[in-house]
């Protein structure tokens, strides 16, 4: 269903821009940690063989929460869910700049993944809600450009910041950019009610099992 009838009109370009920015923040947060590993490993006294655990903590958390959120995410207004997950990811990213050892870094990355996993689904759902089926493929290609930009611009920029400032700087910069995107979503995206009436949990769990 495109352009929910309960919401005021908003241009498809703005929807695509918002979804792409969300992807950019999410992917940059995920991808910059491993290249920064040697920097914060030395500063925090974290063994290099634990860097893989820190990187995997996000991925595992995002995968688990992505499956769990599939049971209930569509029951909430898209705007509220986006702001909630963006704020959670942003705060977890900022927390990465003030960690002090392996455990605190792993916890920060687990929390970031817990919000980042559902956030990916929400950004894709945003396009599905508003963009007509005939134009959806092109729109999704533009949204996925956020992934490419994060790889080509976000990660190298973060590494340069770490080189010239400190390893804290990429976490702070990404977190502040995430806050700016959150404000953009709050100010720009109209509120509209969930598209479907809530289904019983048992039915939703059964549908998820069938999909798996």
């Amino acid at each position: 269903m495109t352009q929910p009838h309960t919401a005021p009109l908003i241009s498809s370009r703005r929807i695509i821009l918002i979804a792409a920015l969300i992807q950019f923040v999410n992917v940059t947060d995920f991808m910059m940690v491993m290249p920064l590993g040697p920097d914060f490993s030395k500063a925090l006294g974290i063994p290099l063989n634990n860097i893989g655990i820190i990187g995997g903590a996000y991925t595992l958390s995002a995968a688990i929460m992505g499956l769990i959120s599939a049971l209930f995410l569509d029951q909430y207004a898209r705007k509220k869910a986006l702001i909630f997950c963006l704020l959670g990811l942003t705060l977890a990213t900022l927390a990465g700049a003030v960690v002090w050892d392996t455990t605190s870094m792993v916890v920060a990355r687990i929390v970031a993944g817990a919000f980042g996993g559902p956030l990916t689904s929400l950004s894709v759902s945003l396009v599905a809600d508003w963009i007509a089926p005939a134009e959806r493929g092109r729109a999704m290609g533009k949204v996925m450009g956020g992934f490419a930009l994060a790889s080509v611009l976000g990660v190298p920029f973060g590494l340069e910041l770490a080189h010239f400032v400190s390893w804290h700087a990429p976490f702070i910069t990404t977190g502040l950019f995430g806050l700016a995107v959150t404000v953009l979503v709050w100010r720009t995206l109209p509120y509209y009610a969930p598209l479907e009436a809530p289904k019983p949990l048992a039915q939703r769990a059964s549908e998820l099992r069938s999909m798996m």
Side-chain angles (χ1 to χ4, degrees):
M1 180 176 181
T2 58
Q3 294 198 357
H5 67 277
T6 55
L9 292 178
I10 181 173
S11 70
S12 59
R13 288 184 178 180
R14 189 166 293 185
I15 289 294
I16 293 170
L17 175 63
I18 291 173
L21 287 174
I22 291 171
Q23 288 280 24
F24 180 84
V25 173
N26 201 1
V27 175
T28 300
D29 173 83
F30 164 66
M31 292 188 67
M32 71 178 181
V33 172
M34 292 298 287
L36 286 173
D39 295 287
F40 62 73
S41 172
K42 182 179 180 181
L44 301 176
I46 298 175
L48 283 174
N49 59 348
N50 285 344
I51 301 301
I53 296 174
I54 293 171
Y58 178 101
T59 307
L60 181 61
S61 176
I64 293 173
M65 283 305 299
L67 288 174
I68 293 175
S69 65
L71 297 173
F72 61 84
L73 204 57
D74 284 339
Q75 298 181 69
Y76 299 96
R78 200 75 78 204
K79 181 175 182 176
K80 289 184 177 180
L82 278 167
I83 291 174
F84 177 76
C85 288
L86 270 169
L87 279 176
L89 176 65
T90 296
L91 293 176
T93 302
L94 290 172
V98 295
V99 297
W100 57 91
D101 60 7
T102 304
T103 302
S104 58
M105 178 62 87
V106 169
V107 170
R109 300 313 298 160
I110 288 174
V111 175
F115 289 100
L119 191 58
T120 301
S121 302
L122 285 168
S123 64
V124 173
S125 299
L126 188 63
V127 174
D129 288 346
W130 286 92
I131 307 299
E135 302 173 3
R136 222 168 266 167
R138 184 184 304 171
M140 285 304 305
K142 294 177 180 178
V143 171
M144 290 301 111
F147 186 98
L149 282 176
S151 304
V152 176
L153 298 178
V155 175
F157 178 71
L159 290 175
E160 287 300 309
L161 273 179
H163 177 71
F164 287 106
V165 185
S166 74
W167 66 268
H168 305 82
F171 288 97
I172 296 172
T173 304
T174 304
L176 292 178
F177 187 73
L179 283 177
V181 175
T182 304
V183 172
L184 178 67
V185 170
W186 173 63
R187 293 287 301 273
T188 303
L189 190 66
Y191 171 86
Y192 56 97
L195 301 181
E196 297 181 1
K199 299 177 182 178
L201 178 60
Q203 180 180 350
R204 283 177 270 136
S206 176
E207 291 173 352
L208 181 61
R209 285 195 299 270
S210 298
M211 181 187 71
M212 295 298 294

